[in-house]
Amino acid sequence: MSEKKILVVEDEVKILEVVTSLLESRGYQVIQAVDGKEALVLFERENISLVLLDLMLPDISGEEVCHKIRGKSRVPIIMLTAKAEEEHLLNGLHIGADDYITKPFSLRELAARIEVILRRVSGELKPLYQSNYFEKGELVIDVEANILKKRGQQIKLTRSEWNLLLAFIKYPNKVFTRDELIQIALGEEYGGYDRTIDSHIKNLRQKIEDVPKSPAYIVTVHGKGYKFGGV
Ligand code: CA
Protein backbone atom coordinates (compact mmCIF):
# COMPACT_ATOMS: atom_id res chain seq x y z
CA MET A 1 0.00 0.00 0.00
CA SER A 2 1.10 3.53 -0.70
CA GLU A 3 2.13 5.67 2.21
CA LYS A 4 1.73 8.86 0.27
CA LYS A 5 0.06 11.79 1.96
CA ILE A 6 -2.50 13.81 0.04
CA LEU A 7 -3.61 17.20 1.27
CA VAL A 8 -7.28 17.73 0.39
CA VAL A 9 -8.38 21.37 0.62
CA GLU A 10 -12.15 21.70 0.33
CA ASP A 11 -14.70 23.72 2.30
CA GLU A 12 -17.68 21.62 1.22
CA VAL A 13 -17.72 19.01 3.92
CA LYS A 14 -19.62 16.47 1.89
CA ILE A 15 -17.08 16.51 -0.95
CA LEU A 16 -14.24 16.48 1.57
CA GLU A 17 -15.62 13.34 3.19
CA VAL A 18 -16.33 11.49 -0.03
CA VAL A 19 -12.90 12.28 -1.46
CA THR A 20 -11.21 11.35 1.82
CA SER A 21 -12.83 7.94 1.99
CA LEU A 22 -12.02 7.30 -1.67
CA LEU A 23 -8.36 8.15 -1.19
CA GLU A 24 -8.06 6.22 2.06
CA SER A 25 -9.57 3.19 0.36
CA ARG A 26 -6.77 3.48 -2.23
CA GLY A 27 -4.14 3.42 0.46
CA TYR A 28 -3.31 7.11 0.68
CA GLN A 29 -3.08 9.01 3.90
CA VAL A 30 -5.36 12.05 3.78
CA ILE A 31 -4.74 15.37 5.49
CA GLN A 32 -7.84 17.57 5.44
CA ALA A 33 -8.06 21.35 5.32
CA VAL A 34 -11.27 23.38 5.07
CA ASP A 35 -9.73 26.70 4.13
CA GLY A 36 -6.62 28.16 2.56
CA LYS A 37 -4.85 29.24 5.71
CA GLU A 38 -5.21 25.83 7.28
CA ALA A 39 -3.99 24.28 4.03
CA LEU A 40 -0.80 26.35 4.06
CA VAL A 41 -0.10 25.54 7.70
CA LEU A 42 -0.62 21.82 7.13
CA PHE A 43 1.46 21.90 3.96
CA GLU A 44 4.38 23.29 5.97
CA ARG A 45 3.98 20.72 8.70
CA GLU A 46 3.34 17.52 6.77
CA ASN A 47 5.35 15.84 4.08
CA ILE A 48 2.72 16.12 1.34
CA SER A 49 2.99 14.15 -1.94
CA LEU A 50 0.07 15.78 -3.74
CA VAL A 51 -2.41 18.60 -3.14
CA LEU A 52 -6.05 18.45 -4.18
CA LEU A 53 -7.13 22.05 -4.06
CA ASP A 54 -10.60 23.55 -4.34
CA LEU A 55 -10.56 26.82 -6.27
CA MET A 56 -13.29 28.60 -4.28
CA LEU A 57 -12.36 28.70 -0.62
CA PRO A 58 -13.85 30.86 2.14
CA ASP A 59 -10.68 32.76 2.98
CA ILE A 60 -7.73 32.91 0.60
CA SER A 61 -8.59 31.65 -2.89
CA GLY A 62 -7.36 28.32 -4.18
CA GLU A 63 -5.37 30.25 -6.77
CA GLU A 64 -3.46 32.07 -4.10
CA VAL A 65 -2.88 28.90 -2.10
CA CYS A 66 -1.55 27.28 -5.28
CA HIS A 67 0.70 30.23 -5.93
CA LYS A 68 2.07 30.20 -2.38
CA ILE A 69 2.78 26.47 -2.45
CA ARG A 70 4.45 26.83 -5.85
CA GLY A 71 6.70 29.49 -4.43
CA LYS A 72 8.42 26.84 -2.39
CA SER A 73 7.58 23.42 -3.78
CA ARG A 74 7.10 21.42 -6.94
CA VAL A 75 4.53 19.16 -5.29
CA PRO A 76 1.80 18.13 -7.77
CA ILE A 77 -1.36 20.22 -7.42
CA ILE A 78 -4.75 19.27 -8.87
CA MET A 79 -7.35 22.05 -8.80
CA LEU A 80 -10.99 21.23 -8.10
CA THR A 81 -13.34 23.66 -9.81
CA ALA A 82 -17.04 24.10 -10.31
CA LYS A 83 -18.37 24.23 -13.86
CA ALA A 84 -19.11 27.95 -13.64
CA GLU A 85 -15.51 28.63 -12.73
CA GLU A 86 -14.12 27.18 -15.91
CA GLU A 87 -12.69 30.46 -17.15
CA HIS A 88 -10.42 30.29 -14.13
CA LEU A 89 -9.04 27.01 -15.33
CA LEU A 90 -6.43 28.39 -17.67
CA ASN A 91 -5.47 30.73 -14.92
CA GLY A 92 -5.24 27.77 -12.56
CA LEU A 93 -2.86 25.98 -14.86
CA HIS A 94 -0.98 29.21 -15.41
CA ILE A 95 -0.31 29.62 -11.70
CA GLY A 96 1.31 26.23 -11.64
CA ALA A 97 -1.37 23.60 -11.06
CA ASP A 98 -0.56 20.29 -12.77
CA ASP A 99 -4.13 19.42 -13.61
CA TYR A 100 -7.71 20.38 -12.85
CA ILE A 101 -10.90 18.49 -12.48
CA THR A 102 -14.40 19.92 -12.81
CA LYS A 103 -17.17 19.27 -10.28
CA PRO A 104 -19.18 17.13 -10.31
CA PHE A 105 -16.45 14.59 -11.03
CA SER A 106 -16.40 10.83 -10.93
CA LEU A 107 -14.39 9.39 -8.09
CA ARG A 108 -12.86 6.86 -10.42
CA GLU A 109 -11.60 9.63 -12.68
CA LEU A 110 -10.21 11.57 -9.76
CA ALA A 111 -8.34 8.52 -8.48
CA ALA A 112 -6.99 7.82 -11.97
CA ARG A 113 -5.72 11.39 -12.42
CA ILE A 114 -4.00 11.29 -9.05
CA GLU A 115 -2.31 8.01 -9.87
CA VAL A 116 -1.10 9.26 -13.26
CA ILE A 117 0.40 12.39 -11.78
CA LEU A 118 2.07 10.63 -8.87
CA ARG A 119 3.55 8.05 -11.21
CA ARG A 120 4.81 10.73 -13.56
CA VAL A 121 6.35 12.74 -10.76
CA SER A 122 8.04 9.79 -9.13
CA GLY A 123 9.61 8.97 -12.51
CA GLU A 124 10.76 12.52 -13.16
CA LEU A 125 11.90 13.39 -9.71
CA LYS A 126 13.37 10.18 -8.51
CA PRO A 127 16.12 11.06 -6.10
CA LEU A 128 19.38 9.53 -7.18
CA TYR A 129 20.69 8.89 -3.74
CA GLN A 130 18.73 6.81 -1.32
CA SER A 131 20.72 7.77 1.70
CA ASN A 132 22.72 10.87 2.37
CA TYR A 133 25.68 9.46 0.56
CA PHE A 134 26.35 9.63 -3.14
CA GLU A 135 29.16 8.14 -5.15
CA LYS A 136 29.72 8.44 -8.87
CA GLY A 137 32.99 7.80 -10.61
CA GLU A 138 35.57 9.83 -8.77
CA LEU A 139 33.06 11.94 -6.89
CA VAL A 140 31.95 11.14 -3.38
CA ILE A 141 29.38 13.37 -1.73
CA ASP A 142 28.50 12.98 1.90
CA VAL A 143 25.38 15.09 2.12
CA GLU A 144 25.01 14.97 5.87
CA ALA A 145 28.60 15.87 6.60
CA ASN A 146 28.76 18.50 3.82
CA ILE A 147 31.80 16.84 2.34
CA LEU A 148 32.67 16.53 -1.32
CA LYS A 149 35.65 14.48 -2.38
CA LYS A 150 37.18 13.96 -5.76
CA ARG A 151 39.78 11.20 -6.14
CA GLY A 152 39.94 11.12 -2.38
CA GLN A 153 40.75 14.83 -2.10
CA GLN A 154 38.32 17.02 -0.23
CA ILE A 155 37.02 19.94 -2.27
CA LYS A 156 35.67 23.08 -0.71
CA LEU A 157 32.47 24.51 -2.17
CA THR A 158 30.74 27.78 -1.47
CA ARG A 159 27.23 27.59 -0.01
CA SER A 160 25.73 28.40 -3.44
CA GLU A 161 27.79 25.75 -5.21
CA TRP A 162 26.87 23.20 -2.59
CA ASN A 163 23.16 24.01 -2.93
CA LEU A 164 23.39 23.62 -6.69
CA LEU A 165 25.23 20.33 -6.52
CA LEU A 166 22.71 18.88 -4.07
CA ALA A 167 19.79 19.88 -6.30
CA PHE A 168 21.47 18.26 -9.32
CA ILE A 169 22.19 14.95 -7.63
CA LYS A 170 18.81 14.86 -5.97
CA TYR A 171 16.90 15.17 -9.25
CA PRO A 172 19.23 13.84 -11.92
CA ASN A 173 16.62 13.60 -14.68
CA LYS A 174 15.43 17.14 -14.30
CA VAL A 175 16.51 20.01 -16.52
CA PHE A 176 16.82 23.02 -14.24
CA THR A 177 16.10 26.45 -15.68
CA ARG A 178 18.34 29.36 -14.72
CA ASP A 179 15.53 30.86 -12.65
CA GLU A 180 15.14 27.65 -10.68
CA LEU A 181 18.87 27.42 -10.11
CA ILE A 182 19.03 31.02 -8.94
CA GLN A 183 16.38 30.25 -6.35
CA ILE A 184 18.19 27.13 -5.26
CA ALA A 185 21.62 28.72 -5.12
CA LEU A 186 20.88 32.20 -3.94
CA GLY A 187 17.36 32.22 -2.54
CA GLU A 188 14.24 33.86 -3.84
CA GLU A 189 15.10 37.39 -2.84
CA TYR A 190 17.91 37.57 -5.35
CA GLY A 191 16.96 39.96 -8.13
CA GLY A 192 20.04 39.83 -10.31
CA TYR A 193 20.47 39.00 -13.94
CA ASP A 194 19.86 35.33 -14.57
CA ARG A 195 23.18 34.78 -16.34
CA THR A 196 24.81 35.21 -12.94
CA ILE A 197 24.02 31.59 -12.40
CA ASP A 198 26.33 30.70 -15.26
CA SER A 199 29.33 31.88 -13.28
CA HIS A 200 28.33 29.72 -10.32
CA ILE A 201 28.01 26.77 -12.68
CA LYS A 202 31.37 27.58 -14.19
CA ASN A 203 33.02 27.65 -10.75
CA LEU A 204 31.35 24.40 -9.76
CA ARG A 205 32.56 22.76 -12.96
CA GLN A 206 36.12 23.97 -12.30
CA LYS A 207 35.99 22.13 -9.01
CA ILE A 208 34.32 18.85 -9.93
CA GLU A 209 34.80 18.21 -13.65
CA ASP A 210 37.81 16.47 -15.15
CA VAL A 211 37.59 18.74 -18.18
CA PRO A 212 35.52 21.79 -17.19
CA LYS A 213 35.09 22.84 -20.81
CA SER A 214 33.62 19.48 -21.66
CA PRO A 215 31.63 18.74 -18.52
CA ALA A 216 30.41 15.28 -17.66
CA TYR A 217 28.52 16.09 -14.46
CA ILE A 218 26.89 19.49 -14.92
CA VAL A 219 25.65 19.42 -18.49
CA THR A 220 24.25 22.34 -20.49
CA VAL A 221 20.87 21.73 -22.10
CA HIS A 222 20.79 24.30 -24.86
CA GLY A 223 17.98 26.80 -24.67
CA LYS A 224 16.76 25.35 -21.39
CA GLY A 225 19.30 25.25 -18.61
CA TYR A 226 21.36 22.58 -16.94
CA LYS A 227 21.02 19.03 -15.81
CA PHE A 228 23.08 16.44 -14.02
CA GLY A 229 24.95 14.25 -16.46
CA GLY A 230 26.56 11.91 -13.99
CA VAL A 231 23.76 9.36 -13.90
CA1 CA B 1 -15.48 25.57 -2.41
Side-chain angles (χ1 to χ4, degrees):
M1 291 294 253
S2 169
E3 297 278 302
K4 292 201 160 92
K5 271 188 203 171
I6 298 185
L7 175 62
V8 181
V9 190
E10 172 60 82
D11 58 311
E12 286 164 74
V13 176
K14 213 171 167 185
I15 297 180
L16 185 60
E17 281 173 2
V18 170
V19 168
T20 298
S21 66
L22 164 83
L23 295 176
E24 285 178 349
S25 76
R26 303 277 172 132
Y28 299 110
Q29 194 181 335
V30 175
I31 308 291
Q32 298 181 328
V34 294
D35 61 45
K37 280 194 186 121
E38 190 182 18
L40 291 171
V41 169
L42 289 169
F43 184 78
E44 286 292 320
R45 191 190 303 162
E46 307 280 344
N47 184 18
I48 301 292
S49 297
L50 184 141
V51 182
L52 208 53
L53 179 60
D54 183 27
L55 186 61
M56 301 296 270
L57 293 168
D59 57 344
I60 10 180
S61 73
E63 269 170 276
E64 202 181 330
V65 174
C66 182
H67 187 70
K68 288 207 160 125
I69 291 177
R70 261 302 159 267
K72 56 187 119 186
S73 167
R74 264 188 276 277
V75 68
I77 300 174
I78 301 179
M79 304 291 288
L80 294 175
T81 67
K83 196 93 185 145
E85 301 158 0
E86 265 184 352
E87 65 249 40
H88 284 280
L89 292 183
L90 279 176
N91 210 1
L93 293 175
H94 179 68
I95 57 173
D98 296 80
D99 200 359
Y100 63 86
I101 194 158
T102 308
K103 296 176 192 172
F105 48 84
S106 94
L107 290 176
R108 183 182 292 189
E109 187 187 352
L110 177 63
R113 299 262 195 112
I114 288 173
E115 269 162 40
V116 165
I117 287 183
L118 285 177
R119 207 179 307 133
R120 192 178 74 203
V121 169
S122 67
E124 274 173 8
L125 297 181
K126 197 170 180 197
L128 189 61
Y129 59 87
Q130 295 304 314
S131 64
N132 282 326
Y133 184 83
F134 169 87
E135 189 168 359
K136 179 74 198 176
E138 294 163 331
L139 282 189
V140 173
I141 302 164
D142 185 334
V143 175
E144 204 144 280
N146 273 20
I147 290 175
L148 167 70
K149 285 184 180 172
K150 187 170 183 193
R151 290 190 207 104
Q153 295 275 0
Q154 193 166 335
I155 296 172
K156 290 243 179 287
L157 296 183
T158 65
R159 174 50 47 194
S160 300
E161 290 160 2
W162 185 252
N163 289 345
L164 289 172
L165 183 62
L166 288 191
F168 281 122
I169 63 170
K170 196 162 184 186
Y171 299 115
N173 298 317
K174 180 177 164 50
V175 177
F176 288 92
T177 65
R178 286 188 170 80
D179 279 347
E180 286 171 329
L181 291 174
I182 285 172
Q183 285 205 359
I184 291 164
L186 306 165
E188 270 179 84
E189 72 281 0
Y190 182 78
Y193 185 46
D194 75 351
R195 293 278 165 177
T196 326
I197 202 65
D198 295 354
S199 64
H200 288 279
I201 295 285
K202 193 177 164 199
N203 295 339
L204 184 57
R205 281 173 169 163
Q206 292 290 346
K207 293 179 182 181
I208 69 171
E209 301 283 356
D210 288 335
V211 187
K213 286 200 166 150
S214 164
Y217 294 109
I218 311 296
V219 178
T220 303
V221 181
H222 288 288
K224 289 183 176 159
Y226 298 96
K227 69 174 282 185
F228 191 68
V231 188

